[in-house]
Amino acid sequence: MIYSEKVMDHFQNPRNVGKIEDADGVGEVGNAKCGDIMKIYLKVDDNGIITDVKFNTYGCASAIATSSMATELIKGKSVDDALQLSNKAVVEALDGLPPVKVHCSVLAEEAVRAAVADYYQRKGIEKEIPGCSGNCSCCHLHDEHCGGDEE
Amino acid sequence: MKRIYMDNAATTAISPAAMQAVQQAWEVYGNPSSLHGAGREAFFLLDKARADVASALGAEKNEIFFTSGGSESDNWAIIGAAKLMQKKGKNEIISTAIEHHAVLHTLNALEKEGFKVILLPVSAEGYVTAEQVENAITENTALVTVMMANNEIGTIQPVSEIGAVCRSKGVLFHTDAVQAVGHIPVNVKEMNIDMLSLSGHKFHGPKGVGALYVRKGIRLPNLINGGAQESGRRAGTENLPSICGMAAALTEAIENMEKNTAKIVPLRDKLINGLTAVERTRLNGGRENRVPNNVSVCFEGIEGESLLLWLDAKGICASSGSACTSGSLDPSHVLLAIGLIHEIAHGSLRLSLSEHTTEEEVDYVLEVVPGIVKYLREMSPVWEKIVKEEK
């Protein structure tokens, strides 16, 4: 299995690694049992612009690279724009992912949505988040795999 | 950057002696089955290689069948023995939960054909006992297949004792000895082995060549029908260069085994001690009865593929049983079989040494690994939770 140079760059030099102590929104998705967890922290200003974003990820190189790329893609954007981030956009920005790793990009998309959902919840704003309950414990692909045999 | 190769359980570098044997055999272009001088020349090389492999195992020449490698040998032995015993109304096969996929997937295929497969569990240290095998044997048992040494965690199974149990019960016994031959003493007669698989590239021989030992008197069905090669049981003109390279490598490995073991074991133990000194790190597989070259550890809170790629960036070639490196979402079945939970099994690292491994290399690995583990843990939400729960 060969990763693109972009993936290796974002794996070896991940952007926006870390935590934000006074974050305005935090989203965590994935399942350690499946081998990847992503946690995204957002700092959002009064105009709804993401002024800072950090991530913590447990997982393989593509999990780390997709987290890094996803944070780059939403930094400086509005939270509503961030909600539009698709896993496809993350994959394209990384010059592709091996087929078995595409689920990592889905996880990145969901981590961003979970963080935005948390932001709206803290604000007390009712907001429908597409395809995300805000507390997903496993991404869709993982659901199929992990479902039913939780320890 | 100098490359540090610590993945010798995956494959080894070909030795100069093996390379020389390969090259010499390439020049002998005759077909070993031909009656003329060129053919005889090739036949003598083939015959010598067979004698060398037989002698390395304590077997007879006509008990050695050359194959394309360990997987083919495993498939042939297991399917062949199953079909052979099916004729006698026996349809149960006993094996273990930690076998190589060449065995496990073959057993799955037989299961679909109606065979009953019993996979014995192993201890937390990664061993099965002869008693477990004895208790599992019934009048319907067709075959017992238990690996000699595990490829991931290096544990050496009590093959002699298991063989003795099988012999006394009249049950066929096969062992996948791919990780053992050339590394630890093997004698098929003393160990009561009926069939044994080996692979050339695990002991500095060429890839794509192996052998199956089949005890005299066991009439395994043919694997490939055709000419008279391999006593007619595996037809096709022999891969003479590879066979000669394998025989040379095996002879060399056995000659140097004691010396190599004495060199590798202290390095292995230094690695084990150094790596398990990292907090929340465990050794996989017992310390006793472990092949000389295997180090397998799990670091909590990180995922193996990330670790591997960082090691690669530092010039270190290693392996992991994490899900991500296997192309599936499940971590290694071996690590799960020794009782590890998924979260911990994902953080596995296997380093497999050879006689070419140096103390400097070991020191470098011990210098580099803890830093990478720390770095990956710092960005890991799983590690964050572990630390929080500790407080």
Side-chain angles (χ1 to χ4, degrees), chain B residues 65 75-85 87 172 195 212 214 218-225 232-234:
Chain B
F65 298 85
N75 273 258
W76 187 11
I78 294 168
I79 296 172
K83 297 280 155 88
L84 191 66
M85 300 313 285
K87 289 183 197 152
L172 285 180
M195 290 169 286
L212 178 65
V214 183
I218 299 171
R219 180 64 207 176
L220 270 197
N222 297 349
L223 181 68
I224 301 176
N225 295 307
R233 298 204 210 173
R234 187 199 187 265

Side-chain angles (χ1 to χ4, degrees), chain B residues 120-352:
Chain B
L120 299 172
V122 297
S123 67
E125 295 219 300
Y127 303 101
V128 69
T129 66
E131 203 187 351
Q132 280 176 278
V133 173
E134 185 162 19
N135 292 338
I137 290 176
T138 71
E139 57 187 9
N140 292 324
T141 304
L143 171 74
V144 169
T145 173
V146 175
M147 69 197 333
M148 194 173 286
N150 184 270
N151 50 308
E152 290 187 44
I153 59 174
T155 51
I156 300 169
Q157 304 304 323
V159 162
S160 275
E161 290 81 353
I162 293 169
V165 164
C166 293
R167 194 60 58 85
S168 75
K169 300 260 182 183
V171 172
L172 285 180
F173 176 48
H174 165 255
T175 184
D176 171 353
V178 164
Q179 295 288 340
V181 170
H183 299 277
I184 58 172
V186 175
N187 185 301
V188 289
K189 305 293 172 201
E190 286 169 13
M191 297 169 101
N192 309 299
I193 295 165
D194 292 322
M195 290 169 286
L196 175 146
S197 305
L198 66 88
S199 172
H201 72 107
K202 304 294 189 185
F203 45 75
H204 304 288
K207 295 164 194 27
V209 63
L212 178 65
Y213 155 79
V214 183
R215 186 167 60 83
K216 212 181 291 173
I218 299 171
R219 180 64 207 176
L220 270 197
N222 297 349
L223 181 68
I224 301 176
N225 295 307
Q229 295 91 353
E230 305 304 299
S231 312
R233 298 204 210 173
R234 187 199 187 265
T237 300
E238 301 84 350
N239 179 358
L240 190 64
S242 295
I243 289 169
C244 292
M246 171 170 72
L250 183 54
T251 302
E252 195 182 25
I254 287 175
E255 267 171 25
N256 297 328
M257 191 183 289
E258 225 170 289
K259 192 177 78 188
N260 290 343
T261 302
K263 187 190 171 202
I264 300 170
V265 165
L267 296 178
R268 174 198 70 184
D269 292 342
K270 188 173 189 180
L271 270 175
I272 290 176
N273 294 336
L275 293 174
T276 52
V278 175
E279 63 175 321
R280 286 189 174 266
T281 302
R282 51 158 289 149
L283 173 68
N284 302 316
R287 271 181 187 261
E288 305 295 321
N289 295 321
R290 186 179 191 99
V291 284
N293 68 353
N294 175 288
V295 176
S296 171
V297 294
C298 280
F299 301 102
E300 282 186 47
I302 65 170
E303 197 282 325
E305 191 209 70
S306 291
L307 177 59
L308 275 201
L309 287 172
W310 268 114
L311 287 175
D312 183 47
K314 305 273 184 192
I316 301 164
C317 300
S319 162
S320 170
S322 91
C324 286
T325 54
S326 70
S328 81
L329 289 168
D330 276 321
S332 133
H333 65 282
V334 176
L335 299 177
L336 297 180
I338 60 170
L340 299 190
I341 57 171
H342 280 63
E343 289 86 324
I344 292 177
H346 285 305
S348 72
L349 173 69
R350 181 188 72 184
L351 298 166
S352 42

Side-chain angles (χ1 to χ4, degrees), chain B residues 83-103:
Chain B
K83 297 280 155 88
L84 191 66
M85 300 313 285
Q86 197 176 30
K87 289 183 197 152
K88 299 181 179 170
K90 296 176 192 273
N91 70 339
E92 288 178 14
I93 304 171
I94 298 166
S95 188
T96 78
I98 61 168
E99 298 298 310
H100 190 273
H101 283 137
V103 169

Side-chain angles (χ1 to χ4, degrees), chain A residues 11-127:
Chain A
F11 165 61
Q12 292 187 339
N13 310 291
R15 282 59 147 179
N16 310 308
V17 176
K19 300 183 189 101
I20 299 175
E21 294 303 335
D22 58 342
D24 298 311
V26 181
E28 183 178 318
V29 297
N31 186 323
K33 199 182 162 191
C34 304
D36 32 34
I37 291 187
M38 289 180 195
K39 196 169 180 179
I40 286 186
Y41 301 79
L42 300 177
K43 195 77 195 148
V44 183
D45 71 10
D46 295 341
N47 301 318
I49 301 295
I50 298 168
T51 55
D52 197 10
V53 51
K54 296 273 184 216
F55 80 89
N56 263 208
T57 288
Y58 157 84
C60 56
S62 68
I64 290 169
T66 53
S67 309
S68 168
M69 183 53 87
T71 56
E72 282 286 274
L73 291 174
I74 63 167
K75 204 174 187 176
K77 300 275 171 61
S78 72
V79 283
D80 287 335
D81 281 346
L83 275 185
Q84 302 305 315
L85 178 77
S86 70
N87 80 297
K88 219 174 141 221
V90 176
V91 174
E92 277 167 15
L94 286 169
D95 293 340
L97 279 177
V100 293
K101 299 294 186 179
V102 171
H103 76 272
C104 292
S105 66
V106 177
L107 210 57
E109 173 192 313
E110 296 197 340
V112 169
R113 285 187 189 170
V116 173
D118 182 55
Y119 161 77
Y120 277 121
Q121 204 178 357
R122 289 185 195 203
K123 283 267 173 192
I125 300 169
E126 289 264 339
K127 178 92 183 174

